[in-house]
Amino acid sequence: MTNFVTDDLRSRLIEGVHAAGREVMAVYRRDFEVATKGDDSPLTEADMASHHALVALLEAATPGVPILSEESGGIPFATRRAWGRYWLIDPLDGTKEFIKKNGEFTLNVALIEDGVPVFGIVHAPAVGDAGGTTWIGQHGQGAWKQQPGGSLESISVRALPDPEQAVWKIVGSRSHGSDEFEAFCAGLPAHERVSMGSSLKLCLVAEGAADLYPRLAPTCEWDTAAAQAVVTAAGGDVLNAETLEPLRCNQQDSVLNPFFIVCGQRDERWERALRASLKPEA
C-alpha cells in the first residue's frame, strides 16, 4: 500500500473535515426539517451540507480520485470495481442521533485501496468541548485522537482484561439492537454494556475505552470504513462475524456489510459466544 496520504495532506483533510463539522453544528443548533429517503432512513439539510463540503474538499485536495458518498446516489459496481483507490464518505453518520440532539453523530472520511480502508477520519463535532473530537487512523503510521486546538495524541486498543479482575466493556448500538446481540452478550464472561450511536462505537475500541463491538444488524460500508481504518491502525480488527476475516469494501454490487465484530484482539471466549449467537434456532 502506498503512502498516498502525506503529513500535509492529512492536516489539510482534518482541517476540511472540521470545517464541514462546523456547518453541521450550525444546523444542529437550530430547528431543521427532516425528510425521508427511499429506504425510510432520515435525511436533514446537515447531511447534504456536509456531503457538499466533503466532496469539494476531496476533489480539491486529491483531483482524479473517485468519491463514493452515502448521499451521492448509486454508482454502478461495473464502474466501482475498477477503482483501485477511492474516497468513501458518510457525511453524517448517526442522523437519528442528530435528530434526537444527543450529540452521538460523526462525519466519516475513508481512503480505500484495493478494498482495504487504509486511512480514516472520524469527526464527532458535538462530542467533548467546543469543536468536537476527532479520531484519525493511517495504515503503517498509527492512530490518533485530537481534541479542539490540541495536537494528535496516539491511541491504541487495550489488552482484553481478566474478567475476574475487570469486566469486559461491550459497546452496542443505541438505535439498532438485535436478538443476536443479546445472545452474544449472554455467552460472555462478566461484562458491562455501553450504548452509543454512530461510528463512535468503533472509536471506543480503538482508543482502549471498550473491548468489543459486535454489530449483528445491518450497516453499509460508508458507516464503518473510516472507523475501521482507525481501529486497525490502533492495533485492532474489524472482522466478518461469520468468517472472522477482515471486512473489505467494494467487493460486490451491494454496499451492505456482513455482520461484524470490532475487537482489540482475538479470544476464544468471545469467538465461542459469537458462533453461538449466529446459529439459527432449531
Side-chain angles (χ1 to χ4, degrees):
M1 297 177 186
T2 62
N3 188 20
F4 177 75
V5 179
T6 62
D7 290 350
D8 287 344
L9 177 57
R10 182 174 66 220
S11 296
R12 181 177 178 183
L13 294 175
I14 293 171
E15 290 176 4
V17 173
H18 286 174
R22 289 191 290 274
E23 293 192 38
V24 167
M25 290 303 293
V27 178
Y28 184 69
R29 294 188 181 103
R30 59 173 169 79
D31 293 335
F32 52 85
E33 294 184 358
V34 180
T36 302
K37 295 193 287 188
D39 61 358
D40 288 332
S41 63
L43 179 72
T44 73
E45 59 187 286
D47 295 76
M48 297 311 300
S50 179
H51 164 75
H52 292 305
L54 293 176
V55 168
L57 167 69
L58 296 172
E59 287 179 342
T62 58
V65 178
I67 302 168
L68 177 62
S69 166
E70 179 178 7
E71 309 307 341
S72 64
I75 298 177
F77 183 56
T79 299
R80 291 188 284 111
R81 71 191 308 171
W83 294 353
R85 172 188 292 139
Y86 69 101
W87 292 105
L88 179 59
I89 63 177
D90 189 344
L92 186 58
D93 182 34
T95 302
K96 290 182 179 179
E97 315 308 328
F98 181 87
I99 294 167
K100 295 175 187 175
K101 296 202 172 184
N102 66 15
E104 296 175 357
F105 54 88
T106 58
L107 288 69
N108 298 339
V109 176
L111 181 68
I112 313 299
E113 291 189 352
D114 298 324
V116 179
V118 296
F119 173 79
I121 300 173
V122 177
H123 178 51
V127 171
D129 297 328
T133 303
T134 310
W135 293 263
I136 305 100
Q138 186 169 352
H139 177 80
Q141 301 293 317
W144 307 273
K145 182 177 181 179
Q146 185 182 40
Q147 304 291 353
S151 58
L152 300 182
E153 299 179 2
S154 294
I155 58 172
S156 64
V157 299
R158 74 172 188 170
L160 197 60
D162 179 347
E164 294 186 2
Q165 303 296 324
V167 297
W168 293 2
K169 293 186 178 180
I170 314 300
V171 193
S173 172
R174 190 177 296 285
S175 299
H176 303 279
S178 69
D179 292 341
E180 290 87 350
F181 176 78
E182 296 298 328
F184 172 77
C185 289
L188 294 178
H191 64 277
E192 64 180 9
R193 301 189 201 180
V194 178
S195 295
M196 189 166 288
S198 75
S199 56
L200 290 169
K201 297 182 286 293
L202 292 91
C203 294
L204 288 184
V205 177
E207 67 177 41
D211 298 301
L212 297 168
Y213 166 38
R215 179 61 183 218
L216 308 179
T219 57
C220 290
E221 292 174 4
W222 46 64
D223 296 317
T224 56
Q228 180 177 352
V230 176
V231 169
T232 54
D237 287 299
V238 181
L239 305 172
N240 181 312
E242 292 277 1
T243 66
L244 294 182
E245 292 293 323
L247 284 197
R248 298 192 68 198
C249 297
N250 203 33
Q251 302 299 297
Q252 58 186 356
D253 182 63
S254 172
V255 294
L256 285 174
N257 285 321
F259 289 178
F260 62 85
I261 187 163
V262 184
C263 62
Q265 57 272 307
R266 301 274 297 267
D267 187 279
E268 176 56 32
R269 290 167 292 182
W270 68 252
E271 291 180 28
R272 185 168 55 245
L274 183 61
R275 288 192 297 269
S277 73
L278 297 176
K279 287 182 179 178
E281 294 184 5

